[in-house]
Amino acid sequence: SQELEQSPQSLIVQEGKNLTINCTSSKTLYGLYWYKQKYGEGLIFLMMLQKGGEEKSHEKITAKLDEKKQQSSLHITASQPSHAGIYLCGADFNAGNNRKLIWGLGTSLAVNP
Amino acid sequence: DTAVSQTPKYLVTQMGNDKSIKCEQNLGHDTMYWYKQDSKKFLKIMFSYNNKELIINETVPNRFSPKSPDKAHLNLHINSLELGDSAVYFCASGRSDLFSYNEQFFGPGTRLTVL
């Protein structure tokens, strides 16, 4: 089973609507990373959360990490066509050297104008 | 000004051929990665190098051989290509020192199609 579950798998929203994507871990996270991938392109870093209860915002995108550090949500306010793409969460489970990120399966977002 | 670059962007080849993908980063990072993203968009790590040393090898077939001539470059050579190797391969770089953020910077990807 996946160590990191993302939901929903895909999402179609009307422009201007709000939406939320969730990322749930089977164990406590050391760090949680949100990335966006535009179709046919590489991944772009959005933000990173590390502390329980932490919340960060970048333009109209807000990400939160729960107190237990096992779930993160990404919320987009007043979505625009430019928000379309695949959103991936990546988890860091350790604090040591040479760590690797474990990835969720991604959420494909389409925003209809 | 490209931070992580990969070549080629597209690669179409016949089964059984040998091919290489090159990656370079100019961010001064000490760690580089190769990822495979399959048709279902699942991103899976293949290899990671730290200062030219292999540190992660995720049960990848021996046909895949990464090579890091220096810490700014990580190439991927694939022997005897198979249909199942068709995917997008991403190179990434990042810092990996103790307690640092594990933020990774990705290249644009190489779309490999094996016919």
Side-chain angles (χ1 to χ4, degrees):
Chain A
S1 64
Q2 280 288 116
E3 287 181 276
L4 213 56
E5 298 277 353
Q6 262 187 260
S7 62
Q9 192 175 353
S10 63
L11 198 50
I12 303 173
V13 299
Q14 206 63 32
E15 184 176 356
K17 295 293 185 187
N18 303 337
L19 63 106
T20 300
I21 298 167
N22 293 303
C23 180
T24 303
S25 168
S26 59
K27 47 187 182 179
T28 303
L29 299 158
Y30 178 72
L32 191 285
Y33 299 76
W34 282 102
Y35 282 79
K36 178 186 175 185
Q37 183 180 18
K38 285 193 174 180
Y39 296 106
E41 297 181 17
L43 281 72
I44 297 168
F45 173 76
L46 293 176
M47 54 193 96
M48 183 264 187
L49 303 163
Q50 200 168 25
K51 297 175 185 170
E54 188 175 8
E55 181 175 321
K56 286 186 179 177
S57 291
H58 174 67
E59 297 177 348
K60 292 185 178 179
I61 302 177
T62 301
K64 299 179 188 177
L65 183 61
D66 74 342
E67 291 288 345
K68 285 186 181 178
K69 295 175 64 173
Q70 284 193 262
Q71 185 171 37
S72 178
S73 59
L74 186 88
H75 184 78
I76 299 178
T77 305
S79 57
Q80 300 167 358
S82 61
H83 287 127
I86 299 170
Y87 289 81
L88 290 113
C89 60
D92 202 354
F93 291 112
N94 302 299
N97 287 334
N98 304 325
R99 313 191 299 277
K100 64 180 181 182
L101 290 180
I102 304 297
W103 297 89
L105 294 180
T107 295
S108 179
L109 172 65
V111 180
N112 292 331
Chain B
D1 274 65
T2 305
V4 183
S5 59
Q6 289 178 235
T7 54
K9 192 167 170 65
Y10 299 97
L11 189 51
V12 181
T13 188
Q14 299 283 339
M15 254 190 347
N17 283 350
D18 303 338
K19 290 292 178 186
S20 292
I21 308 171
K22 295 187 176 182
C23 179
E24 177 181 359
Q25 56 99 359
N26 62 7
L27 299 167
H29 290 153
D30 53 5
T31 303
M32 295 184 73
Y33 308 82
W34 276 112
Y35 286 92
K36 179 181 179 181
Q37 187 176 45
D38 60 25
S39 57
K40 294 182 181 177
K41 303 297 181 187
F42 179 47
L43 193 67
K44 187 168 168 58
I45 190 165
M46 300 173 70
F47 300 103
S48 173
Y49 268 73
N50 180 272
N51 284 316
K52 302 194 297 177
E53 284 190 37
L54 180 67
I55 52 171
I56 294 174
N57 183 341
E58 289 287 304
T59 337
V60 179
N62 290 338
R63 298 182 296 104
F64 290 80
S65 52
K67 281 193 173 53
S68 182
D70 55 60
K71 72 174 194 177
H73 295 84
L74 180 61
N75 303 323
L76 183 66
H77 187 76
I78 315 171
N79 289 328
S80 304
L81 279 156
E82 300 177 357
L83 293 176
D85 297 333
S86 296
V88 181
Y89 291 84
F90 286 102
C91 175
S93 74
R95 289 173 53 203
S96 212
D97 38 304
L98 192 64
F99 299 119
S100 71
Y101 288 164
N102 201 1
E103 178 187 345
Q104 295 174 19
F105 294 78
F106 283 77
T110 295
R111 183 173 292 278
L112 172 64
T113 304
V114 182
L115 304 174

